[in-house]
Amino acid sequence: MTKPRKKADDWWRGAVIYQVYPRSFQDTTGDGMGDLRGITRRLGHIASLGVDAIWLSPFFKSPMADMGYDVSDYCDVDPMFGTLADFDAMLAEAHRLGMKVIIDQVISHTSDQHPWFIESRASRDNPKADWYVWADPKRDGTAPNNWLSIFGGPGWEWDGVRKQYYMHNFLTSQPDLNFHNPDVQDALLKTVRFWLDRGIDGFRLDTVNFYFHDRKLRDNPPHEPDPEEIGLDAPDVNPYGMQSHRYDKTQPENIDFLKRFRALLDEYSGRMTVGEVGDGARSLKTVADYTGGGDKLNMCYTFDLLGPDFTAEHIRKCVQAFQRAVTDGWVCWAFSNHDVNRHVSRFIKGPEERERVAKLAITLLSTLRGSICLYQGEELGLTEADLAFEDLRDPYGIRFWPAFKGRDGCRTPMPWQHGEAHAGFSTAKPWLPVPEDHARHAVDTQEKIAGSVLNHYRATLAFRKAHDLLHDGDMAFVHSNQDILAFTREKGGEKLLFVFNLTREKAEFVPAKSLKLGQPVSVPGFGAKLKDGTIELDGLDMACVRV
C-alpha cells in the first residue's frame, strides 16, 4: 500500500547532493583504491559543506571493466570496496550527520559475468534466454541493424554459442537487458527493494532512457544537425553522434516501467529518484515525459550545462528551454560529474582565473531554481588532470585516444593532505595518479584559508539554505542591456534579484523602470556596487539586490 506523502518526503526538491566516486575518495586498506570505510571516515568533510545528500557511484560486485558500471551482483558489495556491513556502517553515519544516501542503480545493462547473462547465453531455450537483447544476423552475417555503441564500434557482439548477436550500448562486456520481458523488470525491482529495505534514501538511475529498445530493430536514421541543439551526450570524435537515436533508446514503453519503479518507492517514506538523461536535442522533452504527473521520476538531469559554455546566453537558453518543456517536473543542475571534464578547466581562460571562476560557478549554481549536484573535488576548485596514455584506465578514453582522453582526468583521487604521500588518499600507489597541482589545493591547506574555494562553498551553501526562496521559489529572467545574466527568485513575499557578469570586462546593469532596486544583499565572496540605480560589476562578478 502506498503511504501518504508528507512535506518531509519532498526533501529532494531544492536539495544539494554531493557525488562521491568511491574508488577515488579515500583508501583505508592500502591497495590504492578508495573504499566504503574511507567514505565513512570522510563523511564529516562532506557534512561540513552543508549538503543534504550524498550520491555514491557504483560499489556493487563487478569485474570493473567500466569501473563498476558493469554489475555482476546487484545485491552485494565488491570486495574492493568492503562488505555489506561496511555499507551499513557508512549509511548509519551519514544519517547520523543528517545526510541522505543515494546509490547509483545501473540497470540498463549488466556485466557479462552476471549469472543472468551466463545462463542467457548458454542456449536459446533456457529460462533466461530472453532476458537480454538477442537477434539473428542478417543473411550476410552482419549485425541486425546499424546501431552503434557509445564506446565505439557496432552496438552488437556475436556469440558463437547461441549463434546470435547480443546488443550492448557500451562495452561488449556490458550486454543490454531486455526490458520487454516482464520477468526482467520484476527481477530488477526486487534488487531495488533490497536496498530500500536496507535504508537507502534514493536512486540515481544511470542512462535512464536506455532501458527499452525498438522491438522491430529498425535502423537509426542519420543525425540532422540542429543549430539550436545543446545536447552533449557524446564527443564529436565519436560516430555515435552521427545517428539520430530514434530506435535504440528513449522508447515509449519506458514510461510504464518508470511508473512501476515509482510505485515501489512510494511504498516507503521519503525515497526519491534522479534520472540521467542523455538524449541529445530531445533531452528536455524526455525529462518532461519522465518527471511529469508525479508518478514517475522525481527529477532528472541532462548534459546541457556539462559543456564548455559559461556565458549568460547559454545559461539563460538552457534554463528557459527547461522552463518551457517541463511544466510540472523538476530538474537537478550540475556543472561537473564523473563523466565530463571538470568545469573549472572548461570555463577558465587561464590559470589565474581558477579560483574566481570556481567561486562564481557555485554561486550561480546555488541560485538557480532546481536541485543541484556537486562532484567531489569541485569544492577545492580542482582542474582536469592531464594524464599520460599509460596512466589511463577508462576504456572510453583508451578507445578514442588521442582525440578524446576519456574520463580519467576528472576521476583522480581526492587530495586530503598536502605534503603526505599521494595527498593523504592512500599509503600505496593510487589507481590513478594525484597531480601535484591537486595536492597543493588539498583540503587541509584550504581549511586554513578564510577565502579559499572550500570555505566559499561552505558559505555559499549556507547562504542558499538561509534563503527559502532559493530552495523552491519562483524564477524569472530579467531583460539586460548588456551580456549579463539577470533573474529574480521569489517566495513568500521576498524577492531577490541576482545579476551575473560572466564576461571578463566591467559591466553595468540598468534595470527597467518597473524594477525598483532595494538594498544590496551580502553574498559570500561578492558585493553589489549600486550607483544612481545602476549595478556596477567587475569581470566575473555578481550582485544580489532586494527588489
Side-chain angles (χ1 to χ4, degrees):
M1 179 181 295
T2 300
K3 295 183 179 181
R5 294 190 66 78
K6 304 174 184 177
K7 186 174 182 181
D9 291 343
D10 290 338
W11 61 266
W12 49 270
R13 191 180 295 273
V16 180
I17 302 168
Y18 183 95
Q19 182 191 357
V20 174
Y21 195 70
R23 66 164 54 213
S24 291
F25 203 58
Q26 177 68 65
D27 174 26
T28 63
T29 61
D31 65 356
M33 290 178 283
D35 45 59
L36 290 172
R37 290 188 180 186
I39 296 171
T40 304
R41 176 182 164 190
R42 299 295 189 180
L43 283 175
H45 165 76
I46 304 174
S48 76
L49 297 174
V51 307
D52 302 291
I54 61 172
W55 148 30
L56 301 181
S57 289
F59 52 85
F60 311 111
K61 193 173 181 182
S62 166
M64 299 293 163
D66 187 23
M67 308 304 133
Y69 283 87
D70 49 323
V71 179
S72 59
D73 188 341
Y74 286 108
C75 298
D76 201 2
V77 173
D78 193 274
M80 170 197 304
F81 299 121
T83 65
L84 280 169
D86 292 332
F87 176 85
D88 292 340
M90 183 276 303
L91 179 66
E93 178 63 5
H95 285 167
R96 188 188 72 78
L97 292 170
M99 296 184 294
K100 309 287 188 181
V101 176
I102 300 164
I103 66 173
D104 220 327
Q105 201 71 1
V106 189
I107 57 176
S108 70
H109 53 267
T110 70
S111 164
D112 61 358
Q113 301 304 306
H114 196 293
W116 296 348
F117 186 71
I118 292 171
E119 182 175 352
S120 184
R121 79 188 312 177
S123 69
R124 296 193 187 192
D125 57 3
N126 67 77
K128 291 186 174 59
D130 193 36
W131 277 42
Y132 291 81
V133 184
W134 294 96
D136 292 329
K138 292 180 180 178
R139 291 181 62 186
D140 62 359
T142 55
N145 59 30
N146 70 345
W147 297 351
L148 296 173
S149 162
I150 289 181
F151 285 176
W156 297 93
E157 179 73 2
W158 177 254
D159 181 74
V161 175
R162 286 188 50 146
K163 298 182 179 61
Q164 285 182 306
Y165 284 94
Y166 66 84
M167 178 185 172
H168 61 94
N169 271 301
F170 299 93
L171 296 175
T172 57
S173 58
Q174 292 172 292
D176 273 62
L177 285 159
N178 178 19
F179 275 73
H180 291 291
N181 185 332
D183 291 339
V184 171
Q185 296 187 30
D186 292 345
L188 289 169
L189 291 175
K190 186 177 179 180
T191 70
V192 170
R193 188 181 292 277
F194 173 87
W195 293 104
L196 289 169
D197 289 342
R198 215 160 192 98
I200 65 99
D201 303 287
F203 298 94
R204 179 261 186 184
L205 296 179
D206 184 65
T207 58
V208 71
N209 56 310
F210 281 68
Y211 296 165
F212 284 83
H213 65 284
D214 175 49
R215 285 183 182 270
K216 297 180 181 178
L217 303 182
R218 286 172 282 190
D219 281 350
N220 282 327
H223 172 64
E224 298 296 336
D226 181 349
E228 297 298 312
E229 183 173 330
I230 52 178
L232 294 162
D233 46 343
D236 60 7
V237 302
N238 190 344
Y240 186 85
M242 299 178 187
Q243 289 186 358
S244 175
H245 294 274
R246 187 177 301 172
Y247 297 116
D248 54 349
K249 61 184 181 183
T250 322
Q251 299 304 292
E253 295 93 335
N254 213 30
I255 299 292
D256 286 336
F257 175 73
L258 295 180
K259 290 181 178 180
R260 290 194 67 192
F261 200 109
R262 177 62 176 270
L264 171 58
L265 260 64
D266 284 348
E267 294 179 23
Y268 300 76
S269 297
R271 311 303 171 91
M272 58 77 73
T273 49
V274 53
E276 176 197 32
V277 174
D279 208 14
R282 296 182 301 175
S283 286
L284 290 175
K285 180 184 183 308
T286 302
V287 170
D289 291 342
Y290 287 8
T291 60
D295 59 351
K296 296 176 284 295
L297 301 178
N298 296 106
M299 58 182 175
C300 289
Y301 74 87
T302 69
F303 290 75
D304 296 338
L305 296 186
L306 301 178
D309 293 323
F310 188 55
T311 63
E313 179 185 12
H314 180 70
I315 302 293
R316 188 185 305 111
K317 178 180 177 181
C318 290
V319 175
Q320 287 182 329
F322 174 81
Q323 291 173 335
R324 287 192 300 268
V326 186
T327 56
D328 64 344
W330 196 254
V331 70
C332 186
W333 299 112
F335 284 139
S336 283
N337 65 26
H338 64 293
D339 281 334
V340 297
N341 285 5
R342 288 189 175 275
H343 68 262
V344 168
S345 289
R346 301 199 317 266
F347 296 164
I348 62 174
K349 295 186 177 179
E352 71 283 356
E353 292 185 353
R354 181 195 68 84
E355 188 168 314
R356 185 73 172 176
V357 167
K359 292 178 178 180
L360 188 61
I362 184 58
T363 303
L364 173 55
L365 195 68
S366 295
T367 54
L368 296 178
R369 175 176 166 84
S371 302
I372 64 174
C373 192
L374 315 179
Y375 178 56
Q376 68 178 50
E378 73 168 78
E379 74 272 26
L380 305 177
L382 297 187
T383 53
E384 183 79 356
D386 186 16
L387 302 179
F389 178 77
E390 54 268 24
D391 288 326
L392 296 189
R393 302 291 293 275
D394 179 18
Y396 199 3
I398 293 169
R399 171 65 178 80
F400 285 101
W401 178 278
F404 173 62
K405 296 183 178 181
R407 302 163 295 178
D408 286 326
C410 68
R411 297 176 175 183
T412 53
M414 184 78 172
W416 297 103
Q417 296 159 286
H418 187 214
E420 294 290 325
H422 313 298
F425 165 73
S426 176
T427 57
K429 181 181 178 181
W431 74 287
L432 287 175
V434 180
E436 175 53 33
D437 179 63
H438 286 196
R440 285 198 301 271
H441 297 110
V443 172
D444 70 333
T445 299
Q446 296 203 31
E447 290 272 14
K448 305 166 188 172
I449 304 172
S452 67
V453 175
L454 172 58
N455 285 315
H456 179 82
Y457 263 69
R458 290 169 173 160
T460 299
L461 295 183
F463 175 85
R464 176 183 169 93
K465 191 161 287 187
H467 293 271
D468 196 41
L469 54 75
L470 293 178
H471 183 259
D472 59 357
D474 293 335
M475 177 178 178
F477 284 98
V478 176
H479 175 72
S480 169
N481 58 306
Q482 293 191 40
D483 186 18
I484 286 174
L485 183 69
F487 54 86
T488 58
R489 297 297 309 274
E490 183 175 9
K491 183 181 179 181
E494 183 182 22
K495 188 174 183 179
L496 297 181
L497 169 69
F498 293 92
V499 183
F500 289 84
N501 178 17
L502 305 182
T503 75
R504 276 69 182 170
E505 306 297 327
K506 289 186 176 183
E508 292 184 346
F509 174 73
V510 181
K513 292 182 179 180
S514 59
L515 195 66
K516 304 298 182 183
L517 299 185
Q519 290 298 312
V521 176
S522 179
V523 178
F526 300 94
K529 295 180 283 292
L530 269 66
K531 183 178 179 181
D532 300 327
T534 296
I535 298 176
E536 298 180 343
L537 298 161
D538 291 330
L540 296 174
D541 197 8
M542 67 82 58
C544 177
V545 180
R546 294 192 184 277
V547 291

